[in-house]
Amino acid sequence: MTGRQQDALERALPDLAPRKSAESDEPEKPKRHVTLSADKPALFAAIRRDAHTEHLSVGALSKRHHVHSRTILQALASPTPPPRKPRTVKENPVLDRIRPALDAILDEYAATNGGQLPPTRLIWERLLDEHDADVSYATVRRFLVGHPLTNPNGVAGTPRRTAGNFLGATHQALQVNVIRNHRGLLAAIRQQPAMHGIDGSFATTTAFVLGCDAGSS
């Protein structure tokens, strides 16, 4: 009836996804045991002690201490735990595919609503209906949480207003307002450049850009 695939509907409406029966014969997977960095020196010492006194194999040590065999080999090679690898930021291929459509929806809404962002549900529904995008509501919501218009303090924070920094607080508040309205301004210029004094020539475009630069400091 909706013309959508079943997997897309299950992502959008998680209550429709089939759930496993409570009487299922499948055994539950054991929960992953996470070792904190602060506990690793004591863990490595216990592994080395058991390996030295009881001459246990790598598999037996792994079962006793509930860790991967790779951790056992690290402990046997050195009493000092290796430093934790830095966590890398994962890219979202779904957002990369729908980003042009997202920008178009945001620009159109901001041009008619004073630079404000549309509601998350409105964006999500337009992505599904107008662009046939296979994206979940949660993905759109996470995208908007980090957006500068949603959290302008993430771009320019406003300090406390004390007698010594009142001018600085006022200047940073002005910067936040400029960033908040920038998207709506540029969207309006793209739709109706003549109303802003831009006739398509290099001279008028340069004059407008320099004026915006001077006006927003």
Side-chain angles (χ1 to χ4, degrees):
M1 288 168 49
T2 61
R4 305 287 176 184
Q5 296 295 329
Q6 179 178 345
D7 55 350
L9 290 175
E10 289 180 355
R11 278 195 297 273
L13 306 170
D15 291 339
L16 297 181
R19 299 180 180 179
K20 292 183 179 180
S21 173
E23 300 178 357
S24 176
D25 296 334
E26 297 181 3
E28 295 184 359
K29 295 181 179 180
K31 295 183 179 180
R32 180 186 175 191
H33 181 75
V34 180
T35 304
L36 301 178
S37 299
D39 299 334
K40 273 197 171 183
L43 173 64
F44 274 37
I47 293 173
R48 293 172 66 87
R49 181 185 64 249
D50 293 345
H52 178 71
T53 57
E54 302 183 33
H55 303 285
L56 298 177
S57 64
V58 174
L61 291 171
S62 178
K63 291 181 180 179
R64 170 175 292 188
H65 295 279
H66 306 286
V67 294
H68 196 273
S69 58
R70 182 171 53 251
T71 303
I72 301 298
L73 295 175
Q74 290 176 349
L76 297 179
S78 173
T80 305
R84 186 180 295 273
K85 295 181 180 179
R87 183 174 298 178
T88 57
V89 180
K90 295 183 179 179
E91 298 181 357
N92 193 333
V94 176
L95 277 180
D96 293 338
R97 290 196 301 268
I98 66 172
R99 194 174 298 276
L102 268 174
D103 291 339
I105 295 173
L106 295 179
D107 288 346
E108 180 182 346
Y109 189 91
T112 57
N113 293 273
Q116 300 299 319
L117 282 178
T120 305
R121 179 165 293 277
L122 174 63
I123 301 176
W124 178 63
E125 290 176 349
R126 289 192 58 181
L127 288 172
L128 294 179
D129 297 336
E130 301 175 10
H131 301 276
D132 199 24
D134 188 10
V135 60
S136 66
Y137 180 87
T139 300
V140 178
R141 183 176 57 189
R142 285 194 297 269
F143 171 79
L144 293 179
V145 167
H147 198 279
L149 293 180
T150 304
N151 185 20
N153 291 332
V155 181
T158 304
R160 296 178 181 177
R161 293 199 172 206
T162 60
N165 66 357
F166 176 77
L167 292 179
T170 304
H171 178 67
Q172 293 214 10
L174 174 63
Q175 289 181 333
V176 171
N177 291 331
V178 170
I179 294 172
R180 190 195 310 268
N181 297 324
H182 224 166
R183 179 180 287 273
L185 174 63
L186 295 180
I189 293 171
R190 281 195 292 269
Q191 291 182 356
Q192 295 177 322
M195 292 186 60
H196 297 82
I198 301 177
D199 58 6
S201 65
F202 177 80
T204 56
T205 305
T206 304
F208 184 86
V209 171
L210 292 177
C212 288
D213 187 24
S216 61
S217 301

